[in-house]
Amino acid sequence: MANFYTDNDDIRFLFRYYQLNKLADLMEGDYSDSEKFNWAPENAADAVDNYDRLLETIGQIAGDFVAPRSEQIDVDGNTLHEDGTVSYAPGMKECIDRMAEAKLMAFTLPHRFGGLNCPNFIYTMSNDVVSRADASLMNIYGLQGIAETINAFANEEIKQQYLPIFSEQGATGAMVLTEPDAGSDLQAVKLRAYQDSNGQWRLHGVKRFITNGCGEVLLVLARSEPDRAGGMGLSLFVCDNGPTVKVRRLENKLGIHGSPTCEMYFDHTPCQLVGERKRGLAKYVMSLMNGARVGIASQSLGIGEAAFRVARDYAASREQFGMPIEKLPSVRDLLVDMKVMLEVARTLTMETCWMVDFSNGLEIKTESGEVTDKEQLKQLKKEFKHYRRLADMLTPMSKYYASEMCSKVSYESMSVLGGSGYMKDYPVERHMRDARITSIYEGTTQLQIVAAVRGVCSGTAENFLAELEAFDYPAEVKDLVDILVADREQLLKAVAYTKEQPGTEYMDLHGRKLVDIAINLIVGHLFLQQSVAKPALEDKFCQPGKGEELSAYERQRQHKAIVASRFIKRNSPINAANVVEITSGDRSTMSDYDAIVGPVPEVN
């Protein structure tokens, strides 16, 4: 029996590396919910044990139930009916129902709505596990940020109307944002929101590229102020997927076939305003999309994990020239790079989740009115701002790196399998097709870099690296720490040069190199700290088994030391080369664009 959580030592290591008891305290407060709801934890230890059990349950469902259905789901796809409704592939419907039966469709909602009240840190691990089984299922299971957004910004009446159905009925939802002429530029949204003669809000117009547009609960970005262009004319609404909502088209896609991508028509659909008018994009949707971007990072981790495992198994069993092909240096190099990239992405994504959870938790705490001591409140607000700045920088970093990683890893997995990987006999071609969308939806790689480089150039990355350098490193890793410190000085040199240039064009032009250096340094420190840290949670994973000298945690810690050394040493010259290019003043991409690219070709 396969369990996609218990067989993944990297996820299990990170679960025990982070001090989840602190996160549980932030999520549960005084644990008084345990007196009202029998599934709520009584203390931090109970909460962390619940998290572990939940991941084990999800791992079992993913390995035993979802993964065996994934190939047929990919073949079957979804069906659009004449009445504008959609049916999932039979296997997908079975998977969603199975997740609902296990009460997993309200993962992050508070206990009072029947939810599990789990932090995003644990939810992200679950998305990683589910995506390894079937990336398209994660597109539906992973849309629970819709419920989070309703809980965060809607009034109590709307909360009571919609949130219980996620836990009681296993409802799914959709983020209804993009339009034919408003993809990445959501300020151009035109779908009309208006109030009829009775004061009822209604929606009229078309939306496109909507993941799971057939979901029961729809969060819709619409133009509520017809006389105001741009983001300030937009508000956020919630509605049921009723008779006035039609799916006009299902997109014929390269991958993630089990997840319906819909063009939708709203025919004067009744809806309710979420939060305040004119704040739909600036606050509510940006919050929703930031959560979704971490979700896509975790989806990328699952796809990358699945693709790597196929390649690793094939390289060990496929014999050529009288030996397994994993004996060949070129194949080994591919597999080592794939494994390191995967762990870099997971480390960066989980660190991001840690910052996001503390940012969100501290914001709720400072605005709840529970803290009355002025000095304590001042300190909490300071901590909140610190975590929020880091979350705002690390979120686009993790989405960028993880999505590019899974495309690269799935591509190289096919390289390891050769011709066999190109055939549908192996799942690699599906992983490769599924991977490509991750660097496109919820903001392309280019947009993530534009967002992340602001954090690099504003001082956020510099301050974070200073915090990381203050860690009490043991003497045996001092040489690696020295490399990171020297490279940080080079990054600051590149940042200073970039800030001297007029406007933001030069920063955006060289943004990827600046972000890459920052990621290399941040993850280098995180790997080193993982390699020397004792577990925050002591359990069987941290104890040697019968006949073993080392525990699984200790083996993984030693593994991290090896990965850290390779990662830091290999990236240092790349960092240096990037600094040389950034400080060269090269603007040829902009100045010589027409000469190099040439005229727009005629399209027949």
Side-chain angles (χ1 to χ4, degrees), residues 370-561:
E370 295 176 5
V371 180
T372 56
D373 181 88
K374 291 184 178 179
E375 285 303 314
Q376 184 184 1
L377 187 60
K378 182 179 178 181
Q379 180 59 31
L380 287 174
K381 287 182 176 180
K382 182 179 179 181
E383 290 178 21
F384 157 68
K385 290 178 182 178
H386 170 73
Y387 283 110
R388 175 56 55 87
R389 280 192 294 269
L390 289 174
D392 287 347
M393 179 184 72
L394 292 173
T395 293
M397 279 185 175
S398 60
K399 201 276 185 182
Y400 150 56
Y401 188 93
S403 61
E404 293 293 327
M405 173 280 298
C406 82
S407 287
K408 178 73 170 173
V409 167
S410 60
Y411 180 92
E412 297 298 13
S413 179
M414 187 173 287
S415 298
V416 173
L417 271 71
S420 295
Y422 196 69
M423 308 301 165
K424 289 185 178 289
D425 298 343
Y426 288 88
V428 172
E429 59 84 28
R430 171 164 55 87
H431 298 324
M432 191 169 166
R433 288 187 285 109
D434 288 349
R436 189 60 187 91
I437 189 61
T438 62
S439 58
I440 298 172
Y441 57 10
E442 306 308 338
T444 64
T445 283
Q446 291 72 29
L447 288 177
Q448 303 310 308
I449 290 168
V450 167
V453 76
R454 267 65 183 167
V456 175
C457 291
S458 68
T460 301
E462 178 183 357
N463 293 336
F464 188 37
L465 288 169
E467 287 181 39
L468 293 170
E469 289 173 11
F471 184 83
D472 186 18
Y473 286 108
E476 60 262 28
V477 299
K478 187 178 182 303
D479 59 328
L480 297 174
V481 175
D482 288 344
I483 293 173
L484 293 174
V485 171
D487 285 0
R488 189 251 300 160
E489 290 299 321
Q490 289 299 302
L491 172 61
L492 297 185
K493 173 185 173 183
V495 167
Y497 182 89
T498 301
K499 292 170 71 173
E500 289 172 0
Q501 311 309 307
T504 60
E505 182 181 88
Y506 195 83
M507 177 173 62
D508 291 339
L509 183 60
H510 293 278
R512 187 165 191 157
K513 297 177 184 65
L514 288 162
V515 172
D516 282 347
I517 299 170
I519 290 174
N520 289 342
L521 299 182
I522 290 167
V523 175
H525 278 289
L526 295 175
F527 274 161
L528 281 182
Q529 292 177 17
Q530 290 169 12
S531 75
V532 300
K534 293 181 179 179
L537 169 68
E538 291 281 0
D539 62 2
K540 289 182 179 180
F541 186 79
C542 304
Q543 299 166 1
K546 188 176 181 180
E548 295 179 338
E549 293 184 8
L550 300 176
S551 67
Y553 184 93
E554 185 62 25
R555 288 195 299 272
Q556 193 68 8
R557 197 165 70 87
Q558 293 184 2
H559 163 82
K560 292 294 183 183

Side-chain angles (χ1 to χ4, degrees), residues 269-338:
T269 302
C271 61
Q272 297 180 71
L273 178 68
V274 174
E276 302 174 28
R277 289 175 70 159
K278 299 185 285 188
R279 301 191 74 185
L281 179 60
K283 184 171 183 179
Y284 310 140
V285 169
M286 290 311 299
S287 173
L288 178 63
M289 288 189 68
N290 278 338
R293 285 166 177 168
V294 175
I296 301 307
S298 62
Q299 182 183 51
S300 302
L301 295 175
I303 297 171
E305 184 73 41
F308 168 77
R309 285 179 180 246
V310 176
R312 179 69 184 88
D313 177 72
Y314 187 88
S317 59
R318 172 66 167 167
E319 291 201 2
Q320 292 282 275
F321 314 111
M323 61 181 175
I325 62 172
E326 71 172 353
K327 299 287 187 181
L328 300 172
S330 57
V331 174
R332 285 196 166 191
D333 208 37
L334 283 177
L335 288 166
V336 168
D337 282 347
M338 290 161 67

Side-chain angles (χ1 to χ4, degrees), residues 67-83:
R69 289 165 169 76
S70 59
E71 182 179 347
Q72 194 59 46
I73 288 171
D74 181 64
V75 172
D76 292 341
N78 305 279
T79 303
L80 175 61
H81 304 291
E82 289 187 4
D83 63 355

Side-chain angles (χ1 to χ4, degrees), residues 18 40 52 68 85 109 138 177 185 212 238 272 283 295 344 351 366 450 456 486 498 526 537 539:
Y18 282 91
D52 196 31
T85 61
L109 279 182
M138 182 271 163
L177 307 180
D185 183 13
N212 198 44
V238 62
Q272 297 180 71
K283 184 171 183 179
V344 170
E351 183 73 6
T366 57
V450 167
V456 175
T498 301
L526 295 175
L537 169 68
D539 62 2

Side-chain angles (χ1 to χ4, degrees), residues 340-358:
V340 172
M341 283 190 291
L342 179 57
E343 291 195 22
V344 170
R346 185 172 285 121
T347 286
L348 184 62
T349 300
M350 297 319 301
E351 183 73 6
T352 300
C353 290
W354 188 256
M355 301 303 176
V356 168
D357 275 327
F358 272 89

